[in-house]
Amino acid sequence: MAWITVDHPPVNALSRAVRAGLLSALRSALADFSVRAIVIRCAGRTFSAGADVTEFDKTPEPPHLPAQLSDVTETIEGATKPVIVALHGTALGGGFEIALAGHYRIATRDAKVGLPEVKLGLIPGAGGTQRLPRLIGAAEALQWITSGNPVTAVRALELGAIDEIADGDLAQAALVAAHRLVHDGRPPRRTGELAAAAADDAAIADIEATVAKKQRGLLAPRYCIDAVRAASTLSFAVGLQRERQLFLELRESPQAAALRHAFLGEREVAKVPGLTGDIAAREVKAVAVIGAGTMGGGIAMCFVNAGLPVKLLEAEAQALERGIATIRNNYAATIARGGLSQGEMDARLRLISPTLSYGDLAAADLIIEAVFEDLDVKRRVFEQIDAVARPGAILATNTSYLDVSAIAEFTRRPQDVVGMHFFSPANVMRLLENVRAKKTAPEVLVTVMRIGKAIGKIAVLVGDSDGFVGNRMLAQRTREAYFLLEEGAMPQQIDKVLTDFGFAMGPFAVGDLAGLDIGWRNRQARAHLRKPGVRDCDLLDKVCALGRLGQKTGAGWYRYEKGSRLPIPDPAIEQLIIDHSRQAGIARHAIGDEEILQRCLYSMINEGAKILGEGIAARPVDVDIVWLHGYGFPAWRGGPMFHADQLGLSNVYAAILRLRERFGPDFWTPAPLLSELASPGKRFYPSGATHGDG
Ligand code: 3HC
Ligand code: NAI
């Protein structure tokens, strides 16, 4: 028996050296007469995460993936001795393709397998699209490949994607299987030699329709369909060639570059410059949340979902009861959808201790304030926290716009105060902006970054500025959207331009969903910041004054049928906008989609450049991840800064100068960083690689 063990922490990615090592070990085992069977397995916590994603962005050097990985898979499949692949943890992408090429697949019961390449803008490139349909049928294989979602070992066994589940020791079970196969004496079962799966046209058409709807704008799912079709219509060898050709084409695409950037960026944001090294995090075992409203309730849920006990404090009993009832309803809805058991819900609710007394917060390690967005209310709350919190407790505010450094000064321990800006609904949205105030201690920052990960968030560290990163950029886009309305566009046109770009929803539909009163109240609170003589659009005030606060009142920028969330363009709003333009003395005219897109996007990109220039975000990746996970920026465009690089910064800069010509400098003065980078070849991302090896 030859045991080949891939040992390449942390996830056994199939980097160049691993591929070469695997191939050489295979060749030696095949050449060794004393070897009767081969087991391939992986060391560490998981089988293999597939191709090394970081290699895609390096200068191409032969031998290329997938050619070299195909050498591995073809050597495995062609072996005259049985090759058993023993799977644990996750076997994904190229990792699972190695298994598919093997003659017998055995997995631990908790293992998961899958082909997630589509999430990186690719198709499987080492035979996955040709072998999986031969094992489980074309329609099922297409489900796996177009969704990219992993499947449990139990399901994979049911469908025939694997051959056995090992309940005891995996190596022992692999050994037993190997003996059986050797003694059986039959030639190895080669997946590529199995009869081609007949295409189920109706099932494929269904998947095509789903892809067109749910993965709008994405190239890769359509290529997946092409490749799986090839498995039914072409010979295995020609099918592999077709797969390779499609894979290589996609690998060079801007979409794949953007999705790789999104994958790696999500992990990169955790590695904050200056905060790595030996700064120890503080221990957080007990949490308190102040305010049981929209945000406080959701924040409490995040912590109890991760098993941490939470004291939930309100000013009044009634508000507390309401808050707890909402949490209970949220969990009940999850149970109804099959996402939680009653027992789990009860256990989570038991971790929440409602209270009206600040004295109960004395033992908390982390206290998060989520009361009304009003500096005076926050002052009173922080003074009370300061009086009771234990020394070393972290005091966080969930404020959206207020100055965290000012809030810190309401306490005698500004070094312990930090912003933790969750997004609504807090128990669902993955983004967490952790806000560094002037005096926040480094170990407090390390702790809130770590706790963010512990509760399943993608935490991005940002600086203290009006709206931090996300809302500050959003405010620019919102402003342009209103200006476009008063110049001639309608909400449905602007929303369509942005959904066509790839956003899940347009700004007006989002406003209706969130409730227009949030923005309205914010406008009122910030009225004193408006500069005389600087253009301001008060259309939102006019809409809200009519009691149209969005979906919850049945009307906002759109109208809604009872019980429906479908936005319907409303002639009453159109008239209101037309009247508004007339009153404001603005001559309405048709505005092209291209102009709408540029004004909405470039206003954000320019603000992003200011944010970077001011050091509010340390790196462009921080800005991009905020937008990808907090505001539904399409992942396949990589985020606003990455997208700007793809557009070419000199083009963005030139367009902003043209807008300055038309609308003046108040809103369209290019950010100094953008001016600096506005020459061919310069980028926000200095490394510049958007194309990869492979
Ligand atoms: N290549 C390179 N590095 C990878 C990687 C990969 N395929 N997958 C994960 N990593 C790195 C991560 O960047 C992270 O690095 P860091 O520690 O420096 O931040 C580290 O491994 C650990 O990853 P996670 O933090 O994501 O660990 P988890 O345990 O949460 O998740 C996982 C593990 C489920 C394997 C997850 O990392 C994952 O989904 N990876 C991507 C899998 C994938 O998309 N594979 C397809 C690759 S394309 C391909 O195979 C082409 C082929 O068809 C030819
Ligand atoms: P909310 O009005 O739903 O909830 C605020 C809660 O705080 C209410 O239940 C109220 O009774 C309670 N409260 C008020 N004063 C209190 C006090 N002195 N002591 C204890 N409890 C008190 O407001 P929401 O939306 O939850 O916002 C809370 C904070 O989160 C604000 O700072 C807001 O800017 C911020 N935020 C809001 C987001 C949103 O989408 N709603 C998103 C991100 C941040």
Side-chain angles (χ1 to χ4, degrees):
M1 175 80 65
W3 294 90
I4 300 179
T5 308
V6 174
D7 188 358
H8 183 48
V11 292
N12 295 313
L14 302 167
S15 37
R16 191 183 312 281
V18 174
R19 302 194 297 268
L22 195 49
L23 196 56
S24 126
L26 273 166
R27 286 183 177 146
S28 321
L30 289 171
D32 185 339
F33 287 116
S34 67
V35 169
R36 309 270 308 272
I38 299 166
V39 177
I40 299 176
R41 59 180 175 169
C42 289
R45 64 179 159 115
T46 189
F47 189 76
S48 166
D52 185 337
V53 178
T54 60
E55 267 183 13
F56 288 115
D57 278 324
K58 291 188 184 137
T59 317
E61 267 177 53
H64 296 305
L65 210 188
Q68 199 193 26
L69 190 54
S70 297
D71 276 354
V72 175
T73 51
E74 278 150 43
T75 306
I76 293 173
E77 183 159 79
T80 45
K81 306 171 185 187
V83 180
I84 294 96
V85 188
L87 307 166
H88 75 291
T90 44
L92 300 177
F96 186 48
E97 289 174 295
I98 284 180
L100 291 173
H103 306 134
Y104 193 82
R105 287 161 287 282
I106 180 164
T108 56
R109 188 167 288 277
D110 60 357
K112 285 191 175 158
V113 300
L115 294 171
E117 285 87 343
V118 71
K119 297 186 180 177
L120 294 171
L122 299 170
I123 64 167
T129 65
Q130 305 304 299
R131 289 195 178 92
L132 190 61
R134 285 178 159 79
L135 287 171
I136 65 172
E140 189 66 42
L142 253 188
Q143 289 283 8
W144 291 35
I145 295 172
T146 53
S147 75
N149 293 333
V151 170
T152 62
V154 175
R155 180 76 181 136
L157 179 70
E158 267 167 29
L159 293 167
I162 65 168
D163 302 293
E164 185 183 335
I165 287 185
D167 274 318
D169 180 58
L170 180 63
Q172 181 60 30
L175 189 65
V176 171
H179 275 289
R180 205 174 51 240
L181 292 173
V182 168
H183 291 291
D184 217 19
R186 272 185 286 186
R189 178 182 183 247
R190 299 196 172 90
T191 314
E193 291 174 359
L194 300 175
D200 174 346
D201 286 337
I204 294 179
D206 271 359
I207 293 170
E208 263 175 336
T210 312
V211 160
K213 195 165 149 219
K214 293 208 170 147
Q215 291 164 299
R216 202 166 32 93
L218 281 168
L219 285 177
R222 283 188 267 139
Y223 278 52
C224 291
I225 296 174
D226 255 27
V228 172
R229 262 220 185 94
S232 310
T233 52
L234 305 175
S235 71
F236 181 66
V238 180
L240 281 182
Q241 281 169 13
R242 176 82 184 128
E243 177 196 82
R244 169 99 40 101
Q245 181 200 357
L246 292 169
F247 176 90
L248 291 176
E249 223 177 276
L250 277 179
R251 193 204 55 193
E252 299 300 328
S253 68
Q255 290 195 358
L259 285 162
R260 266 194 315 274
H261 164 65
F263 174 83
L264 294 170
E266 200 179 292
R267 286 145 184 88
E268 185 71 18
V269 290
K271 296 162 197 153
V272 180
L275 274 193
T276 40
D278 48 9
I279 305 169
R282 293 186 189 168
E283 200 169 40
V284 175
K285 286 193 165 160
V287 178
V289 175
I290 304 183
T294 310
M295 294 306 289
I299 295 169
M301 288 173 77
C302 295
F303 286 95
V304 298
N305 291 351
L308 284 154
V310 174
K311 300 255 194 262
L312 183 58
L313 184 142
E314 260 290 345
E316 286 167 16
Q318 225 181 0
L320 192 52
E321 273 163 33
R322 210 175 34 237
I324 296 285
T326 306
I327 293 174
R328 199 179 284 280
N329 289 342
N330 282 341
Y331 280 134
T334 312
I335 292 182
R337 284 197 307 272
L340 195 74
S341 73
Q342 186 64 50
E344 284 166 328
M345 165 169 163
D346 295 342
R348 290 178 194 193
L349 286 172
R350 273 197 301 277
L351 283 175
I352 302 180
S353 315
T355 179
L356 296 170
S357 157
Y358 275 87
D360 285 340
L361 311 191
D365 304 310
L366 167 66
I367 303 177
I368 303 174
E369 164 278 311
V371 302
F372 300 139
E373 184 77 340
D374 178 307
L375 202 58
D376 277 334
V377 179
K378 305 256 191 220
R379 174 200 295 273
R380 285 197 297 280
V381 167
F382 270 84
E383 283 169 357
Q384 292 180 86
I385 302 174
D386 193 25
V388 297
R390 68 163 183 76
I394 294 175
L395 317 183
T397 172
N398 183 49
T399 180
S400 308
Y401 286 97
L402 299 174
D403 183 343
V404 181
S405 301
I407 293 175
E409 295 303 331
F410 299 151
T411 72
R412 291 159 297 169
R413 40 177 131 182
Q415 74 282 359
D416 294 334
V417 178
V418 69
M420 286 181 86
H421 184 219
F422 289 79
F423 286 69
S424 182
N427 53 314
V428 176
M429 295 292 287
R430 291 199 69 203
L431 180 65
L432 170 64
E433 279 184 327
N434 282 325
V435 186
R436 182 203 295 255
K438 280 199 192 83
K439 295 185 184 164
T440 315
E443 75 266 19
V444 169
L445 298 174
V446 169
T447 311
V448 291
M449 291 303 286
R450 191 163 298 172
I451 197 85
K453 187 170 170 134
I455 60 171
K457 300 293 177 202
I458 296 170
V460 179
L461 187 65
V462 301
D464 200 1
S465 101
D466 190 18
F468 314 123
V469 169
N471 283 345
R472 179 169 158 184
M473 288 165 72
L474 179 68
Q476 306 303 315
R477 187 185 80 177
T478 307
R479 173 205 79 219
E480 276 313 301
Y482 291 155
F483 287 172
L484 286 160
L485 285 186
E486 57 187 10
E487 289 167 34
M490 285 297 165
Q492 54 273 24
Q493 185 191 4
I494 298 173
D495 277 358
K496 181 164 186 312
V497 168
L498 288 166
T499 52
D500 284 351
F501 176 77
F503 279 97
M505 290 171 89
F508 295 102
V510 169
D512 277 359
L513 177 68
L516 298 183
D517 45 333
I518 296 187
W520 190 26
R521 253 186 277 127
N522 196 28
R523 266 182 64 75
Q524 285 159 350
R526 299 158 65 82
H528 63 284
L529 297 174
R530 251 170 253 145
K531 296 192 189 107
V534 174
R535 182 176 174 189
D536 173 58
C537 168
D538 64 357
L539 256 170
L540 178 68
D541 305 351
K542 291 178 175 164
V543 174
C544 290
L546 295 173
R548 300 179 66 122
L549 302 182
Q551 288 190 16
K552 61 185 170 188
T553 58
W557 292 108
Y558 296 94
R559 67 181 185 82
Y560 298 84
E561 301 285 355
K562 213 171 165 52
S564 161
R565 290 178 174 277
L566 182 75
I568 304 170
D570 189 344
I573 278 291
E574 292 178 5
Q575 194 54 52
L576 179 107
I577 294 171
I578 291 168
D579 292 345
H580 166 90
S581 304
R582 191 179 328 104
Q583 285 154 15
I586 299 170
R588 294 181 67 78
H589 61 279
I591 303 181
D593 291 354
E594 184 59 25
E595 176 175 343
I596 292 177
L597 186 62
Q598 285 202 354
R599 286 172 62 181
C600 288
L601 277 188
Y602 293 5
S603 52
M604 278 168 47
I605 292 168
N606 198 33
E607 197 65 20
K610 287 183 190 164
I611 283 170
L612 283 172
E614 292 165 20
I616 296 301
R619 303 158 296 182
V621 69
D622 296 310
V623 178
D624 282 339
I625 295 299
V626 162
W627 270 83
L628 294 179
H629 291 284
Y631 300 85
F633 199 96
W636 50 275
R637 297 205 191 257
M641 311 321 278
F642 188 87
H643 182 60
D645 274 351
Q646 284 193 330
L647 291 170
L649 295 187
S650 45
N651 296 331
V652 175
Y653 178 74
I656 289 178
L657 290 185
R658 286 194 297 273
L659 288 162
R660 187 176 66 177
E661 283 287 290
R662 282 176 62 195
F663 298 105
D666 288 337
F667 301 116
W668 288 109
T669 297
L673 180 65
L674 185 60
S675 312
E676 202 181 295
L677 297 177
S679 46
K682 289 203 172 167
R683 316 161 49 90
F684 289 124
Y685 284 90
S687 68
T690 52
H691 295 288
D693 173 31

